[in-house]
Amino acid sequence: MSEAQPSSRDEMTNRAFRTVLLGIEEIAGKRGMASLLRQANLAQYINNYPPSDLEHGGHLQSYVAQLNRALFDLYGARGARAIMRRVGNEQAKSALQENILVTNATSIALKFLSRRRKVKTVLDTVAKEYSQQLHTTIKFVEDGDVFYWEDPNCNDCINWTSESPVCFVMAGFIHGMVAWAIGSEEFKVEEIECRAKGDPTCKYRITLNAE
């Protein structure tokens, strides 16, 4: 009997996985990226990133978690946390560049909005694009100056078990998007639920008036 082939919902689009790889490379450099890909058993991507389109090229959702685990293995839990948040910030920048038409349209609208509305507009837009390209359903909720981002199918922690949250890359990604929206880093992003801990979803709290 032949093995079942993964469905498109098990895969990311080419553009989504390219964004992941570009964000890591910006922090690790090309040589560091090659080492990381080998550590993650993804050596086929060394100097061979997917194109920036919405086709599916066999890039499994679980590859993201493999890369995150490789970061933990190479840098240790303490070092990996800061590095992974930086990676997430760079992935936000890559996502903005790789989706330039959406970025340009959104940036024009932001000029006329309040700080809170800027965050809502950007995260609403990102949630829709992210859900489409990674085949998940992001739930984005506003509660005054606090926002919540929930992903029931988070690929950052697939097959990962931990006593504490581990999705630092996603937290960094959200941070990068909000910083771009408001032109400031005076806010806080923290993961308050994580599937690696046994929670039903990975949930992030974005606090605009964080002390």
Side-chain angles (χ1 to χ4, degrees):
M1 182 180 294
S2 61
E3 292 185 10
Q5 296 298 309
S7 71
S8 61
R9 295 194 64 82
D10 297 320
E11 301 178 11
M12 294 166 280
T13 63
N14 288 336
R15 181 176 295 166
F17 195 51
R18 177 182 175 84
T19 297
V20 170
L21 297 172
L22 288 172
I24 298 175
E25 183 187 291
E26 189 65 29
I27 300 300
K30 284 192 174 294
R31 292 182 63 182
M33 188 64 184
S35 297
L36 186 70
L37 286 167
R38 292 189 187 96
Q39 180 74 20
N41 295 317
L42 296 171
Q44 68 270 29
Y45 290 104
I46 295 175
N47 298 320
N48 186 35
Y49 294 177
S52 182
D53 60 41
L54 299 179
E55 299 299 316
H56 291 89
H59 321 298
L60 298 182
Q61 301 278 357
S62 58
Y63 289 175
V64 175
Q66 287 174 229
L67 287 165
N68 290 344
R69 290 296 295 268
L71 284 167
F72 260 70
D73 292 340
L74 288 173
Y75 297 105
R78 182 176 298 179
R81 177 173 182 171
I83 290 171
M84 290 169 75
R85 287 190 72 106
R86 287 176 61 199
V87 165
N89 267 278
E90 290 301 326
Q91 288 179 356
K93 294 176 184 177
S94 295
L96 290 168
Q97 293 167 359
E98 295 293 320
N99 296 275
I100 193 66
L101 292 179
V102 175
T103 300
N104 288 343
T106 303
S107 63
I108 293 172
L110 293 180
K111 296 179 180 179
F112 308 101
L113 301 178
S114 67
R115 188 168 182 259
R116 181 178 60 79
R117 295 296 296 175
K118 287 179 179 179
V119 174
K120 178 174 172 53
T121 298
V122 167
L123 291 186
D124 263 338
T125 302
V126 172
K128 292 173 184 176
E129 288 293 318
Y130 191 94
S131 295
Q132 177 186 3
Q133 295 187 33
L134 282 90
H135 303 296
T136 186
T137 304
I138 301 298
K139 181 180 180 183
F140 177 61
V141 178
E142 176 185 10
D143 184 11
D145 282 336
V146 178
F147 301 86
Y148 296 93
W149 171 292
E150 295 185 46
D151 186 354
N153 303 302
C154 176
N155 61 13
D156 275 32
C157 57
I158 293 173
N159 299 324
W160 201 336
T161 301
S162 174
E163 294 181 357
S164 57
V166 298
C167 302
F168 304 119
V169 172
M170 191 65 224
F173 177 85
I174 295 170
H175 186 279
M177 286 297 181
V178 174
W180 175 77
I182 64 177
S184 167
E185 295 195 1
E186 295 181 359
F187 61 93
K188 184 177 182 180
V189 178
E190 56 185 330
E191 186 178 14
I192 57 176
E193 294 181 16
C194 184
R195 295 175 72 203
K197 292 171 60 260
D199 295 321
T201 185
C202 289
K203 184 175 183 178
Y204 306 82
R205 179 169 57 213
I206 303 103
T207 308
L208 293 188
N209 293 327
E211 297 181 358

